[in-house]
Amino acid sequence: MLTAGLFAWTFAVSLLWAQEPEWPKRPNVVLIIGDDLGYTDLGCYGSGFYETPHIDRLAAEGVRFTQGYTAGPNCQPTRAAIFSGQYTPRTGVYTVGSIDRFNWQSRPLRPVDNVTELPLTCRTLGQVMKEGGYRTGYFGKWHLGDKEPYHPHFRGFDEAIVSAGQHFDFVTRPRVEYPPGTYLADFLTDRSIQFIRRHAGNSPFFLVLAHFVVHSPYDAKEELVKHFRGKAPVGGHYDPVYAAMIASLDESVGRVVETIDQLGLGEKTLIIFTSDNGGVGGYGREGIAARDVTDNAPLRGGKGMLYEGGIRVPFIFRWKGVIPAGRICHQLIHSVDFFPTFIALAGVPVPPNYPLDGLNILPLLVDPGRSDWPERALFWHFPGYLGAGKNTWRTTPVGVIRKGPWKLMEFFEDGRLELYNLAEDVGERENLAAKLPEKVADLHAELLAWRKRVGAPMPTPNRPGKLSSLPGRQTSVSVE
């Protein structure tokens, strides 16, 4: 049942949609996802060190969002949200791997058990787009179950090759041979371009190119690394290998866009570029013992954290002749918005009895500067731990609501509440909770109501076991 506030918001949005002009139906859709790419890791988002001319051009030819959010602070929950259209409490995918990756036994709470493969009860974007007459392809990192029946080939994608973990000498599922020395980003791009060319003149296609760059291990093509050696650092951007990995990602985007335009598909294709979580950086300022490979400043923190550096990422959309060029949108959008937006484009109905948590953002793409867009709330539920090294933690269990300029964080270990006005303090340096108790109460009540509505499970008190005598011991120091 809808609450009064949610009903009013939904009704307002439905009125806006009813007033929208018609846009072309059933375009091709190409979704390109970077892995661990931070908010400021692109030239068009402020980097003066990394070089991304092709992605910058994509932004110049379309709409760039400044407040686009992922569903989680690391990759698996975001991917689950993108392809299911649902918030993490509905899928049960909160983090990467089992809860025993980090020594939660030394902490006050026992995490909620994590689901490591997207449940088969979840509908996927691949399934609904295929049912809508689209040819579907998936190339790259899936991270939602790489074997049958979870592999994307069994989740609605006609063609699917999964690979992640290594940039050279990589393994694919299914097994595909390739020349020695091939870089994974180039291999995935080649396969994606072949898919586009095969389906250019037939039924519309839905393509996902899910890169493994710029995820660790940090490994790049030597000719690109040489280009960045000796280049003066700019802020927290300095690493020539990381810069070379970003350059390979940028090359890939350029090749895909060039192919689409050469085939005359620019006005028939919506292209989206985004990332699955924030960049691996910002830890030093927080006293976290993990390497800063990049820097998300002015945002606070990075991957594995629910501060802005961990969940705010680039979102770029281009559709020639439909989406205006060179526009910037400051409205809030989220990973769960892809599902309702894509099926609206495809003319596919919402699956029956299947709750979708996102919003069809097509009206925003067509008119990014509109002033009548209803205010919405975004939510995060992270009932677990993400460690680093030397008994430091990127996050402890936490719930978050973002509404308007306000962001409230509730830390479950001690009930601590943090309130930030992101319009005035994007770096989340001044906790306003003590100064604005009424605002805290309003947002907290809305967060509690949302958790009840979606059935979000909470971590439980930890009952010390054998590992409790080893405070600070961690099973891993990975920053996955």
Side-chain angles (χ1 to χ4, degrees), residues 149-351:
Y150 300 98
H151 187 283
H153 181 69
F154 301 96
R155 307 301 297 269
F157 289 94
D158 298 310
E159 301 177 34
I161 300 174
V162 170
S163 185
Q166 295 290 331
H167 299 286
F168 293 102
D169 301 320
F170 49 87
V171 176
T172 67
R173 290 183 182 271
R175 186 84 177 184
V176 177
E177 299 298 326
Y178 56 84
T182 299
Y183 198 58
L184 177 58
D186 296 336
F187 171 84
L188 297 175
T189 305
D190 290 343
R191 292 288 168 157
S192 297
I193 288 173
Q194 291 168 16
F195 177 87
I196 292 170
R197 291 189 180 279
R198 278 198 303 273
H199 301 295
N202 303 316
S203 57
F205 58 81
F206 171 46
L207 167 66
V208 180
L209 171 51
H211 278 293
F212 184 54
V213 285
V214 289
H215 196 290
S216 64
Y218 300 110
D219 203 357
K221 293 183 287 188
E222 184 57 31
E223 63 270 22
L224 292 176
V225 177
K226 289 180 181 178
H227 174 77
F228 289 97
R229 285 198 182 112
K231 185 174 182 178
V234 179
H237 297 173
Y238 66 94
D239 189 299
V241 175
Y242 187 78
M245 296 173 76
I246 291 178
S248 285
L249 177 64
D250 184 70
E251 284 181 353
S252 170
V253 173
R255 291 178 58 204
V256 170
V257 174
E258 181 182 30
T259 299
I260 289 170
D261 289 346
Q262 285 179 346
L263 294 171
L265 300 176
E267 295 182 353
K268 300 177 181 178
T269 306
L270 171 62
I271 305 172
I272 308 98
F273 177 84
T274 190
S275 178
D276 59 352
N277 50 251
V280 179
Y283 305 126
R285 289 189 293 272
E286 303 298 320
I288 296 171
R291 178 191 174 196
D292 288 337
V293 180
T294 189
D295 196 341
N296 303 296
L299 305 184
R300 180 178 179 180
K303 175 183 179 179
M305 307 175 75
L306 275 295
Y307 293 110
E308 293 292 284
I311 55 176
R312 192 189 293 205
V313 299
F315 278 76
I316 298 170
F317 298 78
R318 192 203 83 163
W319 184 1
K320 284 188 173 181
V322 178
I323 293 177
R327 298 289 296 277
I328 298 174
C329 186
H330 303 294
Q331 297 288 351
L332 307 184
I333 60 173
H334 189 279
S335 303
V336 292
D337 293 336
F338 287 127
F339 200 116
T341 301
F342 291 176
I343 66 173
L345 281 171
V348 179
V350 176

Side-chain angles (χ1 to χ4, degrees), residues 363-391:
L364 271 184
L365 300 181
V366 174
D367 184 7
R370 65 187 313 153
S371 59
D372 57 350
W373 193 251
E375 185 176 74
R376 70 187 295 198
L378 301 179
F379 301 93
W380 290 263
H381 185 64
F382 196 85
Y385 293 92
L386 286 174
K390 299 180 181 179
N391 197 30

Side-chain angles (χ1 to χ4, degrees), residues 61-217:
E61 295 177 347
V63 174
R64 175 171 65 87
F65 281 78
T66 62
Q67 299 190 84
Y69 287 93
T70 64
N74 54 2
C75 52
Q76 201 163 358
T78 295
R79 293 167 193 275
I82 289 173
F83 293 105
S84 71
Q86 296 182 333
Y87 276 125
T88 55
R90 299 195 197 273
T91 66
V93 181
Y94 300 106
T95 185
V96 174
S98 79
I99 63 173
D100 292 325
R101 290 184 63 244
F102 301 102
N103 182 28
W104 61 266
Q105 292 90 343
S106 68
R107 305 298 302 190
L109 298 176
R110 183 197 187 282
V112 173
D113 287 320
N114 186 56
V115 174
T116 59
E117 296 164 319
L118 185 66
L120 298 178
T121 53
C122 290
R123 303 284 286 159
T124 73
L125 265 174
Q127 289 169 321
V128 296
M129 296 294 275
K130 183 176 180 178
E131 290 167 1
Y134 275 67
R135 301 295 294 177
T136 54
Y138 195 102
F139 303 98
K141 183 175 179 178
W142 175 243
H143 216 181
L144 300 173
D146 290 349
K147 298 179 181 179
E148 185 179 353
Y150 300 98
H151 187 283
H153 181 69
F154 301 96
R155 307 301 297 269
F157 289 94
D158 298 310
E159 301 177 34
I161 300 174
V162 170
S163 185
Q166 295 290 331
H167 299 286
F168 293 102
D169 301 320
F170 49 87
V171 176
T172 67
R173 290 183 182 271
R175 186 84 177 184
V176 177
E177 299 298 326
Y178 56 84
T182 299
Y183 198 58
L184 177 58
D186 296 336
F187 171 84
L188 297 175
T189 305
D190 290 343
R191 292 288 168 157
S192 297
I193 288 173
Q194 291 168 16
F195 177 87
I196 292 170
R197 291 189 180 279
R198 278 198 303 273
H199 301 295
N202 303 316
S203 57
F205 58 81
F206 171 46
L207 167 66
V208 180
L209 171 51
H211 278 293
F212 184 54
V213 285
V214 289
H215 196 290
S216 64

